[in-house]
Amino acid sequence: MSKQKKLVLLDPALVKPAVVAAFAKLDPRVQWRNPVMFVVYIGSILTTLLWLQSYQDQKLAQSGFILAVAVWLWFTVLFANFAEALAEGRSKAQAASLRSLKKSTWAKKLTEPRHGTPWLPEQAENLRRDDVVLIEAGDVVPLDGEVIEGVASVDESAITGESAPVVRESGGDFSAVTGGTRVLSDWLVVRISVNPGESFLDRMISMVEGAKRQKTPNEIALTILLVALTIVFLVVTVTLLPYSTFSVEAAKSGTVVSMTALVALLVCLIPTTIGGLLSAVGVAGMSRMMQANVIATSGRAVEAAGDVDVLLLDKTGTITHGNRQATSFLPAPGVAQARLAACAMQASLADETPEGRSIVVLTQKLGFEQALVGTTTKVPFTAQTRMSGIDVLQPDGSVRELRKGAVDAIRRQVEARGGSLPAEVARAADEVARRGSTPLAVLDRNEVLGIVELKDIVKAGIKERFAELRRMGIKTVMITGDNRLTAAAIAAEAGVDDFLAEATPEHKLKLIRDYQAEGRLVAMTGDGTNDAPALAQADVAVAMNSGTQAAKEAGNMVDLDSNPTKLLEIVETGKALLMTRGSLTTFSIANDVAKYFAIIPAIFVSTYPTLAALNVMNLASPSSAILSAVIFNALIIVVLIPLALKGVRYRAVGAAALLRRNLAIYGLGGLIVPFIGIKAIDLLLSAFGLV
């Protein structure tokens, strides 16, 4: 998402449409989706009808009071609508720049799926999955796709907000291109992976503007609780009318409670505060993810992030900087360093990773570079073999196999051919691993030549962040393809709870399933096709925008910044969402207590004068008490809108400490604030003679 200016909480550009939308949401077809506020909606209609009846009957003394109650009940509904509309408006504003990217563009559709073949102009809207297009410097990528040939720099600022161009190339984990981005140099041959209307951009727009937002499991559970409370109070309120009638007849004094007072009592007792803000909190959660440049495919994923208790983190790029560089060559006994370096460089010619390039650079720097003689065939790295290299067809017809890879992978290769790994090489690899570096073994045919040492650096502050997660009960697990010694050294330095070394896609998948079998929720990041099975299995799966299409389709979130560390921020945002919902629920239920003391004495004091003792706030009159409670009930929604949209500030504390803090601030606050608020409103009403 393009990084725009930060939206002010109550920006006039958002407030005006939200006000209009608040009135539009008075449609009964919209209101009934929120059962709690639907009760308030029905109460507003009923009191309005009661006012019309009293006005026609010339009962002017009652008419003014009923009108005031009706107006504030309508305000209660409108304020709840406004909160939801404002949250939706903020999300829509965040998507404004994305809409501008949806332009009709022309593409160069190739007749054959390779560079150099003829092409025909075709509009992007007419392209289909598996079509192959040529994208040259200055061209806009028509639709999402996979690079099958070429390498080029791509401007993705319209999507990610980052001005620096990124490299996209065929093969590997950086082959995906996004529709709406622009190629700055060179050319790409891209196979379209989606049909029109199914692109990443389309999904982003539909999510952030999503009127069809599905409620999350926790939101549904809370809604059921709120409905249950509403039904209980509805039953209680309904029974008060015959009880009041009986009491008046039995006592031969007082007046029967009015329908207006009963409606006011019901509205004030049901959890209208959280009922009015619940939807806004959910929409705002999606919005906060957007602000973090993360696109969630569902609110369920955002919420699940708050319940995660196991984080699977790739070592490279997440825990370490990921720019491992070759620093030294450690030859086996009887092998010259020059030969080891030359073979390592030759085996790295097909390796376009930063590690592979660093081996070439180090060899050139030491002056050990040697040319290959013969026809070469590249052997790419795979997660299964954990090796890469080159096959050289020599003039005598023999094939020379040069390999570079993980020590255990090289060992298996040698042992499968009847050889063995020299003990000196194994010791050198162990020493490198104990230093926290990564050892790579080099193989020439069946001869192990030695070790290449790669160094990486643990990110500053990462250990403290893991300690925070540990205090919250979240377990961190480092995933790496390194051997156990290297993994253990880096895990100890980074402060993770556990690690998985020599990881393959199968190992990752098994690890996730094992944790889930224990009843735990697992989150992980990934960017490659080999990560797709594990991403699909994880409860929260964050795919990198720079990664493959398979990874993005398997994940339920996409990080536009392609920053693996973002997983920590996502978990914090999910926790903040749950904390916000819990805090508002606690406050909403707690503030009902004050309303008991305001309304119950007011409606029964004429029949039972002793109930005047419950008027602890010393409210001016029964009418003032009821109206003050109704006004407070409406205004508190407005006061809490900023909290619902911004969320409760995330704190890295355990569940018990969080519960104590929640009860102390929002529980106790929910008890005290209404007493102060209702009394203040009562004083104002009395001062101006409005009741």
Side-chain angles (χ1 to χ4, degrees), residues 182 468 583 655:
R182 185 179 297 274
E468 289 181 0
S583 299

Side-chain angles (χ1 to χ4, degrees), residues 177-329:
V177 289
T178 306
T181 58
R182 185 179 297 274
V183 173
L184 298 179
S185 68
D186 302 295
W187 54 266
L188 297 171
V189 175
V190 174
R191 176 175 281 111
I192 302 299
S193 55
V194 298
N195 291 319
E198 302 173 357
S199 70
F200 180 63
L201 192 60
D202 290 314
R203 285 185 285 130
M204 286 173 66
I205 294 172
S206 65
M207 282 305 304
V208 297
E209 296 187 341
K212 298 180 179 179
R213 188 186 71 89
Q214 293 184 343
K215 291 185 177 182
T216 63
N218 279 352
E219 195 172 349
I220 292 172
L222 182 55
T223 301
I224 293 171
L225 173 63
L226 299 181
V227 169
L229 289 174
T230 301
I231 292 172
V232 169
F233 286 122
L234 180 61
V235 172
V236 170
T237 305
V238 169
T239 60
L240 288 179
L241 182 59
Y243 176 77
S244 175
T245 303
F246 171 80
S247 299
V248 170
E249 291 177 355
K252 305 299 182 183
S253 65
T255 56
V256 177
V257 63
S258 67
M259 286 294 298
T260 303
L262 287 177
V263 172
L265 176 65
L266 174 62
V267 170
C268 288
L269 293 187
I270 64 176
T272 51
T273 305
I274 182 61
L277 296 173
L278 186 59
S279 182
V281 172
V283 175
M286 299 285 290
S287 178
R288 286 197 290 276
M289 283 296 182
M290 281 290 291
Q291 290 173 349
N293 250 15
V294 175
I295 302 298
T297 58
S298 68
R300 183 187 297 267
V302 178
E303 190 172 86
D307 290 326
V308 161
D309 50 12
V310 177
L311 292 186
L312 303 187
L313 304 159
D314 273 333
K315 183 201 74 173
T316 306
T318 306
I319 295 173
T320 65
H321 285 287
N323 55 345
R324 294 187 300 181
Q325 302 292 306
T327 57
S328 61
F329 297 108

Side-chain angles (χ1 to χ4, degrees), residues 338 341-342 360-370:
V360 176
V361 170
L362 181 60
T363 304
Q364 293 171 340
K365 182 178 178 181
L366 296 175
F368 295 145
E369 186 176 5
Q370 291 181 11

